[in-house]
Amino acid sequence: MIFLPRNRKIENIQKQREKVAMPPEELPCVPLKGGDVAFPTALIPFHVERESAIKALDKVVENSERYLILVSQKNQNVEIPDSADLYEIGTFSRLLQLVKLPDGSIRALAEGIIRVKITEYTQKEPFLLCKYEALEKRVRKSKDLVAVMRLLKSKALKYFEMTKRLPEDAFSELSLIDDPDKLVDTIISFTELSLENKQKFLEIIDPKTRIIEFLKYLNSEIELLKIEAEIDDKVKEKIDKGQKEFYLREKIETIKNELGDDTSETDELKEKLKKGHYPQEVRRTIEKEIERFEKMYPSSPEATVSRNYIDWLFDIPWYSKTKEDVNVERASKILEADHYGLEDVKDRILDYIAVKQLNENAKSPILCLVGPPGVGKTSLGMSLARALNRKFGQITLGGMRDEAEIRGHRRTYVGALPGRIIQTLVKVGVNNPVILLDEIDKMGISFQGDPAAALLEVLDPEQNSRFVDNYIEIPFDLSGVVFVTTANTVESIPPALLDRMEVIEIPGYTFQEKVEIAKRFLIPKLIREYGMEKIKIRITDEAIGKIIEDYTLESGVRNLERTLSKLLRKMARNIVKNHENAITVKSVEELLGAPMLVRSQIPSKPSIGETIGLAWTPTGGEVLVIEATATVGNSQTLITGNLGNVMKESVTIAMTLCKSLCDDKYEFFKTHDFHIHAPEGAIPKDGPSAGIAILTSLCSVVMGKAVRNDIAMTGEITLNGKVLAIGGLREKILAAKRFGIKEVIIPKLNEPMVRKMKEDVTSGIKIHYVEDVKEVLEEVFDVR
């Protein structure tokens, strides 16, 4: 915004206003961007890029008077403003100068004349054309107006003295302005008003009201400037005080030295270093850091960082360790007391302890406990620490995305800390604890690095003896640490990391194991928590069995513990009211309500196209029903149910094999479409083990034979009809038992795996071993 030079008298402006007393009824309207507002007493430079505004200026130039309306745009982000995007009050102006730039845009200069109110937009294309009415009115200079003008000049001079925004040669010119509108507009040009406030002052017509409102704004700004000045003075005073304190501290230090009083902070650190037992490299680093700390100003940020670093170096257990009590018999008793079942896992842990008993310098393997949630993976790590008489530390890796969480942050960062490995060692206070790395399969990768890559060094016995944390920057020996990791599945663990670990699979619990765990561990634990030891509560095995079968459906015992907890809370109310302390099968349903598990997915009777398959998930085995149907068509195949690529390939193989087995049904295949569906479509499904179930459903539809509903199956198929081995068999058999299925079909190649299973896993269920798909079809279509 440029204001008219002094040699252009206000009378000339008034004459111009008189000349436009009868202006054209309609004028082009140009919206101003960039927060600009056109004032009547100012020269307004503006830049135009929009095609509609350029066309409007072309139209203005055609008129000898070059009149136009300048109005501010409310939202600066709108490229093609409508009437709603523009303010109602603008300025009637005359275009003085127009320059077209090489990029097609225009720089223009206009002279504001009078305020106007836009009453109607008569044209929107190709440019805005509007009707308007003048808002100017003549005001006599009263004593009140002169008084407020003087006050405004006084406040403005004070404001500009504080901000230094007005050039010195402009102070005298400001005092000579006698037009109230020009006075306000001139002052506004040297302030940092927002678009809304500028528009507000443009729309105030009465000069006295306008000056009074602007005085309020100036008073507020002056008060804020005073507060800022006071804050600056206080900061400067604080700095001066700090320098004075530094000088006095130096004098006090000198006096203490003269008197022989050596009890400074650095001396305490030196004494601690002298008494402690640290590696030579650590000792040299601490000495060097103490020297640097001694030369720093005590309250400086660098001194805090240096002191924290020294404290971490002191706290790390460089040589401190726990004396192991390696005894296989003692360890066996601890593991048996803490966990029921899990014989394979216990045997592997006892094997390791036996080796340690023979050779205490034997390298510790990295155990990876893999199994569904709630089977006791975390508590096994705690039991291992007890069995070895070592301290226990736990690091949860689930959701970790920052490599610095493992290796630590560089000390150059604000709030830097060592990684979780070093922090855990400091917390337990020894360098040979058992550290459990929980949920190792749930780490992520982000722009901050890959935590799994940082763990490669930690979990490699050949490298971790010289582990370097980014914060400590000194190698630390991790070879004495026993690392145990846990995961629900190994698929999401990077291969390089998995190669460093010894995987021990922890299967889900059988029905009988869950009953024993509830009786021996869960119920006694909950009774202690609820203070019910004095009350002799009796829970029958049948009641526990009903809870397991009808209220929990899991591989572990986590939901079982929650359900038992709810049951005991309900029982506590009964004891208070009726003094009943026995829980039977009947009272379970009274206390917990109707059974929560609905087994509607299992076919209630033999049916065409419905086959019961068995699937493995990270949370245990599941029953998977495969449905197939045929409709009139042209041999198209539709697959639904959120199936993965491998399972879709199994459908393709099954369809080809079905055509081969039912070659006499050529016309049926040619004239029908087939739809294969796996219910519960929201759940992703993948893997090849549903091959025989998919084939059975297709053959059932083609042959028109119903499939037995009391038999489940699992197995991968080939194009020549062979049935291949599958994984997760134990979990699948347990899932079949949970759903009351009495017979299962599995590949003949999995027979050795079944022989290794305990009797309570296979008891009560008949297993059919098959090598060819024809054996499967013979078994399932024999409806009994």
Side-chain angles (χ1 to χ4, degrees), residues 51 69 92 133 175 199 221 273 275 311 332 491 660:
E51 186 178 350
I69 304 296
F92 180 98
E133 61 181 25
S175 62
Q199 184 68 25
E221 286 295 303
L273 177 62
K275 292 180 178 179
D311 288 340
S332 178
E491 274 72 20
S660 173

Side-chain angles (χ1 to χ4, degrees), residues 482-719:
V482 176
F483 287 102
V484 180
T485 66
T486 71
N488 294 131
T489 176
V490 296
E491 274 72 20
S492 56
I493 302 175
L497 185 59
L498 185 64
D499 184 58
R500 285 162 166 75
M501 300 184 290
E502 184 173 333
V503 176
I504 301 176
E505 292 190 3
I506 303 179
Y509 293 114
T510 64
F511 174 83
Q512 193 56 44
E513 284 175 337
K514 289 183 180 180
V515 172
E516 292 298 322
I517 290 170
K519 288 165 61 178
R520 298 187 188 189
F521 299 98
L522 303 181
I523 294 174
K525 173 188 170 184
L526 292 169
I527 287 174
R528 286 194 301 272
E529 284 184 9
Y530 296 153
M532 303 170 73
E533 297 98 326
K534 296 180 181 179
I535 305 167
K536 302 297 182 182
I537 294 179
R538 292 182 293 105
I539 305 179
T540 63
D541 289 1
E542 292 77 10
I544 297 173
K546 182 173 178 62
I547 294 170
I548 294 169
E549 288 187 330
D550 294 345
Y551 293 87
T552 63
L553 184 60
E554 58 177 343
S555 296
V557 292
R558 196 166 286 157
N559 285 331
L560 176 59
E561 183 176 1
R562 293 194 192 102
T563 308
L564 287 170
S565 175
K566 179 181 178 182
L567 182 69
L568 288 177
R569 290 196 300 270
K570 297 282 187 183
M571 195 63 194
R573 291 176 61 185
N574 277 3
I575 292 169
V576 172
K577 290 181 179 179
N578 309 320
H579 303 286
E580 294 180 7
N581 61 350
I583 300 177
T584 62
V585 173
K586 183 180 178 182
S587 59
V588 166
E589 193 161 333
E590 292 175 356
L591 295 170
L592 296 180
M596 298 173 63
L597 300 181
V598 180
R599 304 177 192 269
S600 58
Q601 61 174 319
I602 303 297
S604 59
K605 60 181 180 179
S607 55
I608 295 175
E610 273 192 298
T611 305
I612 303 172
L614 295 173
W616 179 91
T617 72
T619 58
E622 290 291 341
V623 167
L624 177 67
V625 176
I626 300 295
E627 298 177 339
T629 188
T631 56
V632 176
N634 56 355
S635 195
Q636 299 288 327
T637 302
L638 180 63
I639 305 168
T640 56
N642 203 352
L643 307 187
N645 291 331
V646 176
M647 202 163 177
K648 288 178 181 178
E649 289 178 355
S650 295
V651 172
T652 305
I653 295 169
M655 178 58 74
T656 303
L657 192 54
C658 180
K659 290 178 180 179
S660 173
L661 293 170
C662 306
D663 54 357
D664 58 329
K665 300 283 187 178
Y666 174 76
E667 286 300 322
F668 186 87
F669 285 109
K670 189 176 179 181
T671 58
H672 286 78
D673 289 341
F674 294 87
H675 187 167
I676 295 93
H677 176 65
E680 298 186 55
I683 302 173
K685 309 166 190 73
D686 204 2
S689 62
I692 62 173
I694 297 169
L695 174 66
T696 301
S697 291
L698 287 171
C699 289
S700 170
V701 171
V702 174
M703 297 177 181
K705 294 182 179 180
V707 182
R708 290 172 55 186
N709 67 322
D710 61 344
I711 190 167
M713 60 189 71
T714 179
E716 181 180 355
I717 57 174
T718 66
L719 278 175

Side-chain angles (χ1 to χ4, degrees), residues 10-185:
I10 298 299
E11 289 77 13
N12 292 338
I13 300 173
Q14 296 295 341
K15 289 176 182 178
Q16 293 291 345
R17 294 177 182 175
E18 290 171 4
K19 287 181 182 178
V20 296
M22 296 296 293
E25 217 171 78
E26 295 179 346
L27 281 177
C29 177
V30 177
L32 296 178
K33 283 191 72 176
D36 289 333
V37 175
F39 287 94
T41 64
L43 293 178
I44 306 108
F46 58 97
H47 186 224
V48 171
E49 296 177 337
R50 289 183 289 222
E51 186 178 350
S52 59
I54 292 172
K55 289 181 179 179
L57 291 179
D58 290 340
K59 182 68 176 176
V60 171
V61 172
E62 292 175 7
N63 191 321
S64 60
E65 297 294 337
R66 294 192 173 193
Y67 292 141
L68 74 161
I69 304 296
L70 294 176
V71 63
S72 295
Q73 186 172 319
K74 295 178 182 177
N75 187 347
Q76 304 302 308
N77 296 323
V78 176
E79 281 303 318
I80 304 176
D82 200 352
S83 56
D85 300 315
L86 303 176
Y87 285 103
E88 194 178 26
I89 306 300
T91 301
F92 180 98
S93 307
R94 177 183 287 108
L95 183 65
L96 300 179
Q97 194 175 37
L98 183 146
V99 178
K100 292 196 175 183
L101 301 178
D103 61 355
S105 62
I106 292 177
R107 287 192 182 277
L109 180 67
E111 175 188 8
I113 299 176
I114 57 172
R115 295 178 183 82
V116 293
K117 179 180 179 181
I118 297 172
T119 58
E120 180 185 358
Y121 285 92
T122 58
Q123 174 183 300
K124 294 186 179 180
E125 294 291 339
F127 56 85
L128 293 174
L129 200 64
C130 66
K131 290 184 178 181
Y132 57 92
E133 61 181 25
L135 297 176
E136 288 284 346
K137 63 178 182 179
R138 295 188 175 278
V139 178
R140 292 181 57 195
K141 274 194 179 179
S142 62
K143 290 183 179 180
D144 289 347
L145 182 58
V146 173
V148 293
M149 285 180 64
R150 285 183 181 178
L151 182 58
L152 178 59
K153 289 178 182 179
S154 172
K155 290 288 184 181
L157 291 174
K158 186 174 181 180
Y159 171 82
F160 290 130
E161 283 175 358
M162 298 176 76
T163 59
K164 310 295 183 187
R165 285 180 183 158
L166 188 69
E168 292 184 7
D169 57 348
F171 273 81
S172 57
E173 293 183 13
L174 183 66
S175 62
L176 296 174
I177 296 174
D178 59 355
D179 183 294
D181 280 336
K182 185 173 182 179
L183 177 62
V184 175
D185 295 348

Side-chain angles (χ1 to χ4, degrees), residues 354-374:
V355 172
K356 289 287 287 182
Q357 191 170 343
L358 295 173
N359 179 14
E360 62 179 15
N361 296 320
K363 290 184 178 179
S364 304
I366 311 299
L367 303 179
C368 181
L369 307 179
V370 179

